[in-house]
Amino acid sequence: MDEVICLGIESTADDLGVGIATSEGAILANEKSTYTPERGGIHPREAARHHSAQVGSVLDSALAKAGVGPKEIDVIAFSQGPGMGPCLRTGATVARALSIYLDVPLVGVNHAVAHIEIGRLATGAEDPLTLFVSGGNTIVTGYEAGRYRIFGETLDIAVGNCLDVFAREAGFPYPGAPEVERRALKGERFIPLPYVVKGMDLSFSGLLTSALEKLRSGRYRVEDLCMSLQEVAFSMLGEVTERALAHTRKPELLLTGGVAANRRLQAVMRAIAEEHGAESYVVPLEYALDNGAMIAWTGLLAYLSGVRTPVEESLIRPRWRLDEVEIPWLR
Ligand code: AMP
Ligand code: MG
């Protein structure tokens, strides 16, 4: 079969990404533009405005980087959900227009599936238990009988969001989680904070509230708070991931999503994998944060399995759950 080329658009939150992937598993381009809020967190409509203003130039640079012309694109993929409505709508609108104009099929991709698939592609993991951690998601998942099953997830905010909000209140520049990681290295004294695991699920809002109270009290070194916040949050993730690994007996453990950039979390996951005789994998940095390449690659996998998303079924799905998606390419 001839090589198939897919262009993917990611726009679930602050990142607007355009990636180009081939059926050989090559990533030809992975360009992006990220919206930075002037203050506070991501404002969905402002982010969407950023995405529509930038999408032309990000598309141009992705095509130029890949060295392919629009006529060589065989499939258009887009992140259909989950994510922020206005942001998703912007990407979906561009994807529909391209699909109609180029007269090629459209494929709606689940954002969480894409984080897992790019992790598998980039690391060579085949059937991993996956911890997917980002600004909007915290999920422990693994493939079983046609779908990525959810073994554990957050009941409230995502771990990335917890770190980001703490960082913002501490006055760190946006996005703050990497600065929390740097400061944590200078932490000396562990400050007890609420550790909340309920069954296989996690809750980070109590941990965040307590860390913020201690921060505002001015009675603690911020480095100690950064270290303690990370240690508690990552221990919680470790507990649930380890239990899922022991239960599923998966031979591999994959860490993916934006928070996978964190060295301390990588070390926690490595130790757990080692303990259970599993191979440990971490998605490379360029594919850790939201990106277009993961949408292009997952769109290709779906397309090659016969999945199509007719325009009339391409409405965005802001609450589309990972375990609702059929994964025919792993059968
Ligand atoms: P994503 O939602 O996949 O684009 O990932 C963004 C999230 O990753 C944000 O919550 C970031 O704060 C988080 N992140 C990025 N770098 C790090 C890091 N070094 N440690 C922890 N979280 C990080
Ligand atoms: Mg993002």
Side-chain angles (χ1 to χ4, degrees), residues 10 12-15 32 34 42 111 115 132-137 158-165 167 174-182 230 234 256-266 285 287-291 294:
E10 156 61 31
T12 51
D14 56 342
D15 299 294
K32 72 151 71 173
T34 301
I42 302 171
H111 177 84
H115 273 286
F132 165 38
V133 274
S134 70
N137 297 275
V159 62
N161 188 236
C162 173
L163 297 171
D164 289 340
V165 172
Y174 182 91
E179 183 64 19
V180 173
E181 180 179 10
R182 275 189 289 275
Q230 281 198 169
F234 297 167
T256 191
V259 185
N262 190 290
R263 301 286 179 124
R264 179 61 190 141
L265 181 58
Q266 293 174 8
L285 195 55
Y287 303 127
L289 296 155
D290 293 341
N291 63 89
M294 69 183 191

Side-chain angles (χ1 to χ4, degrees), residues 116 119-120 123-132 139-142 151 237-246 248-256 265-283:
I116 301 168
R120 290 205 311 123
T123 64
E126 284 176 13
D127 180 23
L129 183 83
T130 301
L131 173 62
F132 165 38
I139 297 176
V140 178
T141 177
F151 297 114
L237 292 171
E239 179 187 330
V240 174
T241 303
E242 176 159 29
R243 226 181 294 142
L245 191 62
T248 60
R249 303 200 182 167
K250 294 271 186 197
E252 304 162 322
L253 178 57
L254 171 66
L255 178 58
T256 191
L265 181 58
Q266 293 174 8
V268 170
M269 290 300 134
R270 243 190 334 264
I272 288 170
E274 205 164 295
E275 186 94 0
H276 290 264
E279 204 63 49
S280 168
Y281 296 100
V282 180
V283 72

Side-chain angles (χ1 to χ4, degrees), residues 72-246:
E72 292 170 80
I73 304 290
D74 301 300
V75 188
I76 299 291
F78 70 104
S79 51
Q80 197 170 2
M84 298 176 171
C87 303
L88 287 170
R89 227 167 273 127
T90 304
T93 303
V94 174
R96 281 181 211 118
L98 282 172
S99 152
I100 291 167
Y101 179 70
L102 298 172
D103 195 21
V104 296
L106 183 65
V107 176
V109 168
N110 178 286
H111 177 84
V113 172
H115 273 286
I116 301 168
E117 293 305 339
I118 198 69
R120 290 205 311 123
L121 175 71
T123 64
E126 284 176 13
D127 180 23
L129 183 83
T130 301
L131 173 62
F132 165 38
V133 274
S134 70
N137 297 275
T138 305
I139 297 176
V140 178
T141 177
Y143 178 82
E144 184 68 53
R147 297 185 186 206
Y148 284 116
R149 308 291 164 174
I150 296 176
F151 297 114
E153 63 189 322
T154 181
L155 298 168
D156 42 55
I157 59 173
V159 62
N161 188 236
C162 173
L163 297 171
D164 289 340
V165 172
F166 179 85
R168 197 196 309 149
E169 291 286 319
F172 303 162
Y174 182 91
E179 183 64 19
V180 173
E181 180 179 10
R182 275 189 289 275
R183 301 281 184 117
L185 293 173
K186 298 188 188 115
E188 287 161 6
R189 190 168 70 94
F190 179 75
I191 300 159
L193 293 167
Y195 178 108
V196 186
V197 173
K198 296 181 183 171
M200 287 294 280
D201 292 326
L202 305 137
S203 160
F204 293 98
S205 65
L207 169 61
L208 174 61
T209 303
S210 172
L212 288 178
E213 275 168 10
K214 291 194 160 59
L215 176 71
R216 290 176 189 135
S217 76
R219 286 190 287 119
Y220 302 89
R221 278 177 75 233
V222 70
E223 288 79 8
D224 291 340
L225 280 171
C226 288
M227 177 189 73
S228 308
L229 177 62
Q230 281 198 169
E231 288 311 306
V232 173
F234 297 167
S235 302
M236 288 164 53
L237 292 171
E239 179 187 330
V240 174
T241 303
E242 176 159 29
R243 226 181 294 142
L245 191 62

Side-chain angles (χ1 to χ4, degrees), residues 35 37-43 46 168 174:
Y35 151 83
E38 272 171 33
R39 78 184 84 81
I42 302 171
H43 187 298
E46 275 179 25
R168 197 196 309 149
Y174 182 91

Side-chain angles (χ1 to χ4, degrees), residues 50-68:
H50 159 273
H51 297 349
S52 45
Q54 298 301 318
V55 71
S57 67
V58 178
L59 270 169
D60 277 346
S61 54
L63 289 167
K65 189 80 162 253
V68 302

